[in-house]
Amino acid sequence: MSYIVEVRDVWKKFPFKRERPGFKEFIVNLPKFVKRNQNSHFWALKEINFNVKQGECLGVIGKNGGGKSTLLSLILGTIYPTKGDIRVSQKMTPLLELGAGFHPDLTGRENALINGVLLGLTREEVAERLQAIEAFAEIGEFMDMPIRTYSTGMYLRIAFSIAIHTDPKLLLIDEILSVGDEGFQKKSREALIRLIKGGVTTLLVSHNLSVIKEICNRVIWLDEGEIKAEGESSKVVEEYLKHSL
Amino acid sequence: MNAMNREFERKKDLLWLLTKKEITLKYKRTVLGIFWSLLNPILLALVLFIAFKIFMRIPMENYTFFLLSALFPWNWFSASVTISAGALIGNVNLIKRVHFPRYFLVIATILAQLVNLIFTLPIIAGISCFYGVGPGVSWLLIIPILIIIQFTVTTGICLAISMINAYFRDMEYIIGIIINMLFWMTPIVYPLNIVPEAYKTYLVLNPLTYLITAWRDLFMSNLIDWKNIGISFVSSLVFFLMGIAIFQKLGKRLDEVI
C-alpha cells in the first residue's frame, strides 16, 4: 500500500525574534546575532510521523498555536522542515487562504486563469472549466470586472469556485470555510463534503469537532507541536475534549 | 511520460501567464496601453537628440545613435534589476499559500521588461537607416544571441537581489547606488577604448562591459565581434550560477523572513 502523504520525523523550528535586523545592525552586531540565533527559537513541530492513505480524510485538531497550520504549510511545500522528510505523491489543492495571488486590477476571468494554473491545471484545462466556475460562483457580469470592484462575498465566491474546479486529488483545508451568504455557504460546504466523501484524499484542520467526527476517518491531535494522540475520530475527539475541559 | 509532459506544459503556461500579468498590469489603467513601450523610447531618443545636437555638442560623430545603441539594452537590465527587487516580497501571499517555483516571479519580471527592448529595435533600425548604415542580416542571428546572454546574466543578478532583499530590505536602497555605479562603469556614454589601459583588466569583472559593446558594434556598424560575445557569454554564466546558488541557499529559510 503506497501512501499519498508520508511525514517522517519532521521538526520545524522558527526564530523567536520575527523582527528582522537591518543590514547595518546585522553587520555591526554579527557575533551577537550568530549567538542569539542559536538560542532564541521555538519548535513549532517536534518529531511528527504519520501517513495518509489514498481516499482517506485525516482530521487535525488541537489548541491554537499547536502547529496545525504549520503542518499544512509544510505538506504544501511553501515552508521547509528543519529536520525530517515529507513526501507527497499527488497534486495538492490548498484551501488555506482563498484567492491567493489575486490581483485587484485584473478581472475575475483573468484572475481565474492564473489562479487555476497555480492550483495545478494547464491553461487549456482552466479555459474548459471557466464556464462551470462562472456558473458555480454566480457573480454575473462581475466576472469581467476588476476584482477590486468586488464585495468580500463575491471575492470568496469566485476564489472558492476556482479551487474546487481544479480536480482536487489531495485537499488541504484549514477550517471548513464559511464562504459568502447563507445560500452560498450551504452550497460550498456541500460541494466540499461531496468531494471528500467521493474519495478525494483530504487533510482537514478544524475546530469544529462535530464536522471532524462526521467526515474524518482518522484524527491527529496536535498539542504544542507534538502528536498527543492519533486514531479513530470519535475516540481522539473525546480524549481531546476531556483534556480541554 | 504523459504526466511529465503535462507538468511541463503547465509550468510553461504559468510562466507565460505571470509574464503576461506583469505586462498587462503595467499599462492597465493607462489610455495608450502598451503603445507606451514604443512611445517612451521614441521620446527618449528625441530628448537625447536635442540635448546632444544643440546644447551639449560632444565632439563625436552621431553621438545620439552611439548613446542609444547602448542605452536601450542597458535599460532592459536596469529596469529588470530594480523591479525584481520586489518580485518576492511583493508576492508574499502567493509564496506562502501556493506551491510553485518561486524563481518564476523573477523570470516573469525580466521577460516583461524584455518587451520594452523589443519595441526599441525598430527605432534603432530606423536610426540606423537614417545614418545610412541600415540593419544587416546579421541582426537576425546576433540579436537573439545577445538577448539570451543578457537574459542569463540578468537572471543571475535578479535572483540574488530578489532573495537578499527578502532578508534585508535595505537592498532596495543599495540597488539604486549599484545601478548608478554600474551605469558609469559600463561603456554606455563613452567608448570602451577611452578606459585607461591599467583599468581595462578589471572591466572583465563587469558582466555588461563586453555585452553592451557587442550590442553597440552590431547596431552601429553591423559588426560581429565573437571575442566580445564569447567573453560576455562566459561571464553571464558565472553570474547565473552564482545567482542560482544564492537563491537556493537563502530560499530554504525564505518562509521565516517574509
Side-chain angles (χ1 to χ4, degrees), chain B residues 90-102:
Chain B
N91 286 296
V92 176
N93 206 350
L94 212 51
I95 291 171
K96 284 203 171 172
R97 294 296 168 210
V98 191
H99 181 65
F100 71 104
R102 289 145 170 181

Side-chain angles (χ1 to χ4, degrees), chain B residues 43-171:
Chain B
L43 293 176
L44 175 67
L46 277 178
V47 168
L48 293 180
F49 192 77
I50 293 166
F52 290 108
K53 212 56 181 182
I54 298 170
F55 296 104
M56 192 174 148
R57 290 182 217 183
I58 303 273
M60 184 195 283
E61 237 181 301
N62 308 340
Y63 186 70
T64 310
F65 188 19
F66 175 85
L67 190 54
L68 287 175
S69 63
L71 203 53
F72 285 154
W74 162 264
N75 281 346
W76 177 31
F77 173 80
S78 74
S80 300
V81 171
T82 311
I83 296 172
S84 72
L88 293 180
I89 59 173
N91 286 296
V92 176
N93 206 350
L94 212 51
I95 291 171
K96 284 203 171 172
R97 294 296 168 210
V98 191
H99 181 65
F100 71 104
R102 289 145 170 181
Y103 61 82
F104 274 21
L105 292 169
V106 176
I107 292 182
T109 311
I110 300 171
L111 288 179
Q113 295 305 314
L114 172 60
V115 174
N116 288 343
L117 176 67
I118 288 172
F119 270 104
T120 62
L121 294 178
I123 302 171
I124 278 284
I127 298 174
S128 169
C129 288
F130 177 79
Y131 285 110
V133 188
V137 195
S138 53
W139 285 32
L140 291 178
L141 171 69
I142 303 301
I143 288 176
I145 292 178
L146 293 183
I147 286 181
I148 290 169
I149 294 175
Q150 188 166 336
F151 176 77
T152 310
V153 64
T154 311
T155 303
I157 292 173
C158 290
L159 281 177
I161 281 178
S162 65
M163 188 57 85
I164 293 171
N165 197 31
Y167 285 79
F168 305 104
R169 299 292 149 96
D170 313 57
M171 199 64 203

Side-chain angles (χ1 to χ4, degrees), chain A residues 15-86:
Chain A
F16 238 132
K17 191 163 170 286
R18 301 287 300 210
E19 191 66 41
R20 289 161 318 98
F23 187 69
K24 195 185 84 192
E25 281 171 72
F26 179 78
I27 296 296
V28 172
N29 299 322
L30 195 59
K32 215 162 79 195
F33 277 118
V34 171
K35 220 171 110 198
R36 190 158 68 211
N37 277 346
Q38 286 167 351
N39 305 329
S40 80
H41 54 71
F42 73 99
W43 291 97
L45 289 174
K46 287 173 266 189
E47 209 194 340
I48 304 294
N49 278 295
F50 68 89
N51 301 312
V52 185
K53 278 183 288 198
Q54 170 77 50
E56 199 176 21
C57 176
L58 178 72
V60 184
I61 57 173
K63 280 189 302 200
N64 286 334
K68 305 187 294 295
S69 299
T70 305
L71 183 63
L72 280 198
S73 296
L74 278 170
I75 290 170
L76 182 58
T78 54
I79 63 178
Y80 299 97
T82 312
K83 247 184 1 187
D85 196 24
I86 294 176

Side-chain angles (χ1 to χ4, degrees), chain B residues 11 33 63 119 128 146 172 187 204 225 232:
Chain B
K11 292 273 164 64
Y63 186 70
F119 270 104
S128 169
L146 293 183
E172 233 162 298
V204 94
D225 187 337
S232 316

Side-chain angles (χ1 to χ4, degrees), chain A residues 95-127:
Chain A
L95 290 174
L96 305 180
E97 191 176 295
L98 287 171
F102 271 12
H103 197 286
D105 276 340
L106 297 178
T107 67
R109 201 177 299 279
E110 287 168 328
N111 272 308
L113 203 54
I114 299 176
N115 208 244
V117 174
L118 278 168
L119 292 181
L121 297 181
T122 65
R123 200 147 49 109
E124 211 184 304
E125 286 165 341
V126 185

